[in-house]
Amino acid sequence: MRRALAWIALAVTSMVALSFLIPLALLVREQARDRATTAAEQRASALSPVLALTTRRADVQQAVAELGSSDQLVVRLPDGGFVGTSHAPRDALDRAVRRRETLAVDTTGGWVYLQPVVLQGDRVAVVEAFVPTADLTRGVAASWGVMALLALGLIGGSVLVADRLGARVVRSSRSLKRASLALGSGDLDVRVEPDGPPELQEAGAAFNTMADRVLDLLAVERELVADLSHRLRTPLTALYLEADRMGSTPSARRVAEAAGQLESELDSIIAAARTPLASARPARTAAGAAKACDVAEVVAMRLDFWSVLATKQGRPYERSLTPRLVPVAFPEDDLAAVVDALIGNVFRHTPEGTAFAVRVERADRHVFLTVDDAGPGVADPEAALTRGVSVGGSTGLGLDIVARASRAADGELTITRAPLGGARVRVSFVLADAGGAGDGGAVTGVSDRRRSSASTRDRRRRIGRPRPAP
């Protein structure tokens, strides 16, 4: 924009300057010519009374010398002789004598003025005033130079002013752009200092108002999430009581374990919702900053959980987990939510007894999590990936959660037809050690499988222990 404004100022000022300078330059040249020719005509007219009194060569020469123009003033005497050197064309002199007509003729060397003087006895003398070309344009070049310098100064000044104004506009626009990008990336505290033209100042003030409103809405939303999550504790308490009445049966233990896991998730949601926005933002900046976890370990843990329900519903399932480390820079809880969403979709959208398979495979730079089923499949994969749109009567959020998680880990989600006949949902994640660590490279959080397995067992014991109602 700054360069465009400078070019516009240059073009407009140049056109304005040329529209004035060209006529003015022509006028200066004409005035210089008129000044020189008028002076020549006056000298010729001053010599006419002398010729009326005498045509003697000596007297005429003296009169020409007194006028101070002996090289530019010539007299053709009635007898055909000349006082001085004539510059006029022969035919022009003959015409002035014959027709007794005043003439002005342009020649190669300048300008000639012929003034006939009628004497007694019908005799005719001609006074010739000659103006060289240099005298016709005397002072024109200097005047044009001054005008050109003034025009250049005017153009340069206008471009400089436009550049300064453009710099102010660009500075304000860039400040607003940076603030918008920062707000879009999660920096809710960013504000702009309204500057520049009134329109940009109004835009800056509107941006600050919008940012304040977004901050207020997010705070209200987070409080609402926390309140709603807390309200779910009441039915959880009922589940705990029901599990106690069921005794120490395997069903009671599974109910207590599920209730404990749900309560743990609710605690995490409430803690995250009650965390101030300023301190919660850095955790959402990038998945790469999260502690790495092993995909195979998390998938194995979640399959153990779902295997109980699969056995109860008569669902044959197959697991194929790579024995190699497959670390990803992604929170373990979020990865567990991805696995639960994929396997849960199989249980929700296929009849009991439908087989499914879960695979974890490692490539050079990616790890692939694949869930196949033998159900009816997905008729419209693109619609299934749209948030809030369900192809099976659910909330339509499960696959969107998976898709967003894969994008956060620089991966992607695809839905195709599975070899089992149903849907194949495949999620890819970029390996945390893809930048240089090999299969045996140590990666924080997953370098020791035994440590991961121990933490998994601790987590299971923690979520399986009933908690008292709040």
Side-chain angles (χ1 to χ4, degrees):
M1 178 184 293
R2 180 176 177 182
R3 182 177 299 178
L5 289 176
W7 279 109
I8 291 174
L10 176 63
V12 173
T13 311
S14 299
M15 288 188 294
V16 173
L18 289 176
S19 65
F20 282 96
L21 285 178
I22 292 176
L24 186 60
L26 296 176
L27 180 61
V28 168
R29 189 179 65 178
E30 290 299 323
Q31 286 182 341
R33 181 184 178 90
D34 290 343
R35 183 175 62 251
T37 56
T38 299
E41 292 175 2
Q42 290 176 352
R43 290 194 298 270
S45 299
L47 195 57
S48 297
V50 176
L51 293 175
L53 296 175
T54 179
T55 58
R56 291 176 56 192
R57 182 179 295 272
D59 296 335
V60 173
Q61 287 178 344
Q62 183 179 1
V64 170
E66 290 177 354
L67 290 175
S69 304
S70 57
D71 56 339
Q72 298 180 6
L73 198 60
V74 180
V75 178
R76 181 184 182 278
L77 299 174
D79 57 2
F82 288 90
V83 177
T85 304
S86 177
H87 300 83
R90 187 67 182 179
D91 56 344
L93 280 172
D94 294 341
R95 179 180 174 184
V97 173
R98 185 173 61 256
R99 296 185 180 182
R100 301 176 183 181
E101 179 183 354
T102 301
L103 300 175
V105 180
D106 288 317
T107 63
T108 56
W111 180 81
V112 176
Y113 175 73
L114 301 176
Q115 180 177 339
V117 180
V118 181
L119 305 175
Q120 291 182 353
D122 200 24
R123 294 180 303 160
V124 177
V126 178
V127 179
E128 175 187 332
F130 173 71
V131 180
T133 303
D135 292 345
L136 291 175
T137 58
R138 188 182 302 276
V140 173
S143 299
W144 286 2
V146 172
M147 290 188 293
L149 290 177
L150 291 176
L152 291 176
L154 177 63
I155 294 173
S158 64
V159 171
L160 181 61
V161 172
D163 180 73
R164 292 296 89 199
L165 293 176
R168 186 183 178 194
V169 173
V170 169
R171 183 171 58 251
S172 302
S173 302
R174 288 178 177 172
S175 175
L176 188 59
K177 173 188 173 182
R178 287 192 297 268
S180 301
L181 292 176
L183 181 64
S185 63
D187 186 3
L188 301 180
D189 293 331
V190 65
R191 296 295 184 272
V192 298
E193 185 68 27
D195 190 15
E199 293 80 4
L200 285 178
Q201 293 183 12
E202 294 176 2
F207 174 85
N208 292 338
T209 302
M210 178 193 67
D212 293 337
R213 182 59 176 165
V214 168
L215 195 62
D216 294 340
L217 291 176
L218 287 177
V220 172
E221 181 182 0
R222 292 168 67 86
E223 287 298 325
L224 180 61
V225 170
D227 293 343
L228 292 177
S229 302
H230 192 272
R231 289 169 60 183
L232 292 176
R233 290 179 179 272
T234 300
L236 278 177
T237 302
L239 287 177
Y240 280 131
L241 295 177
E242 186 65 23
D244 289 339
R245 283 195 294 267
M246 294 172 63
S248 59
T249 63
S251 298
R253 287 195 299 271
R254 287 197 298 269
V255 171
E257 182 179 355
Q261 181 184 3
L262 181 57
E263 186 174 5
S264 177
E265 296 295 336
L266 288 178
D267 290 341
S268 300
I269 293 174
I270 293 174
R274 291 293 173 85
T275 302
L277 290 175
S279 59
R281 279 192 299 272
R284 301 194 304 267
T285 54
K291 186 178 180 181
C293 65
D294 186 27
V295 177
E297 291 288 346
V298 176
V299 171
M301 181 188 69
R302 299 315 302 156
L303 268 176
D304 291 342
F305 171 81
W306 287 99
S307 63
V308 178
L309 183 58
T311 302
K312 183 177 181 180
Q313 293 185 358
R315 294 178 180 269
Y317 67 93
E318 175 188 352
R319 70 167 70 189
S320 177
L321 308 179
T322 176
R324 304 161 62 190
L325 285 176
V326 280
V328 294
F330 203 70
E332 181 179 344
D333 291 341
D334 292 347
L335 183 57
V338 170
V339 178
D340 288 341
L342 293 177
I343 301 179
N345 278 342
V346 176
F347 283 81
R348 280 189 293 270
H349 302 304
T350 62
E352 293 187 10
T354 302
F356 68 95
V358 179
R359 293 181 177 84
V360 176
E361 304 166 297
R362 171 169 177 158
D364 291 337
R365 299 181 58 85
H366 293 80
V367 56
F368 298 95
L369 169 61
T370 306
V371 178
D372 296 340
D373 64 69
V378 179
D380 191 351
E382 184 176 354
L385 294 177
T386 304
R387 182 176 177 83
V389 177
S390 174
V391 295
S394 61
T395 61
L397 298 180
L399 288 179
D400 180 73
I401 293 174
V402 177
R404 287 189 288 114
S406 63
R407 289 194 296 268
D410 296 329
E412 61 178 355
L413 168 66
T414 58
I415 301 178
T416 57
R417 178 66 65 175
L420 296 177
R424 162 169 284 187
V425 181
R426 195 176 205 193
V427 188
S428 66
F429 303 96
V430 173
L431 289 168
D433 61 347
D439 294 344
V443 180
T444 303
V446 295
S447 59
D448 191 342
R449 280 184 177 271
R450 289 189 295 249
R451 185 184 307 170
S452 176
S453 299
S455 65
T456 301
R457 289 194 298 269
D458 293 342
R459 186 166 180 260
R460 285 179 183 172
R461 288 195 295 268
R462 185 170 60 253
I463 64 176
R465 182 171 60 252
R467 299 184 181 183

